[in-house]
Amino acid sequence: MDKLPIKTVMVVMVDHRKEVATKVQQILTGWGCLIKTRLGLHDGVLDNCSDVGLIILELVGEEKQHQELCRKLNLLDGVKAKYISLSFDD
């Protein structure tokens, strides 16, 4: 029987997006080989752009790498990152 897939997703909430976005981007670029899918969301229309953003990442690689990426993001002021691994075995 084939082993069921495990999916790891990280959610990153960014407050004060305009001030911290560059640092978040540097970290994500440095760990880019772990990121299979990235979706960035924020409320904004023209000049009424929200200062809070949400980034959803689908990750590949080892759990220790995911933990380190999460730790580095959480070191930034105004950034909160959490990740979960999902499988049908759970």
Side-chain angles (χ1 to χ4, degrees):
M1 182 174 196
D2 291 336
K3 185 176 178 183
L4 294 173
I6 297 173
K7 295 290 186 178
T8 301
V9 177
M10 183 176 295
V11 179
V12 184
M13 190 161 52
V14 180
D15 196 9
H16 309 296
R17 197 172 52 84
K18 294 172 189 163
E19 289 86 26
V20 75
T22 302
K23 293 177 185 174
V24 170
Q25 181 59 42
Q26 286 177 326
I27 292 171
L28 295 179
T29 298
W31 291 84
C33 290
L34 295 180
I35 300 170
K36 180 178 179 182
T37 308
R38 174 180 171 172
L39 174 64
L41 306 167
H42 72 279
D43 295 330
V45 179
L46 300 175
D47 60 346
N48 191 20
C49 199
S50 172
D51 208 25
V52 177
L54 183 67
I55 302 168
I56 301 168
L57 306 171
E58 178 186 8
L59 301 176
V60 296
E62 301 297 321
E63 183 177 359
K64 285 185 179 187
Q65 295 171 310
H66 303 161
Q67 291 171 350
E68 183 62 12
L69 172 58
C70 192
R71 185 189 75 77
K72 286 185 178 289
L73 288 166
N74 280 315
L75 287 174
L76 297 175
D77 285 335
V79 176
K80 180 68 177 174
K82 289 188 177 186
Y83 77 95
I84 58 169
S85 293
L86 298 172
S87 76
F88 287 105
D89 289 336
D90 296 339

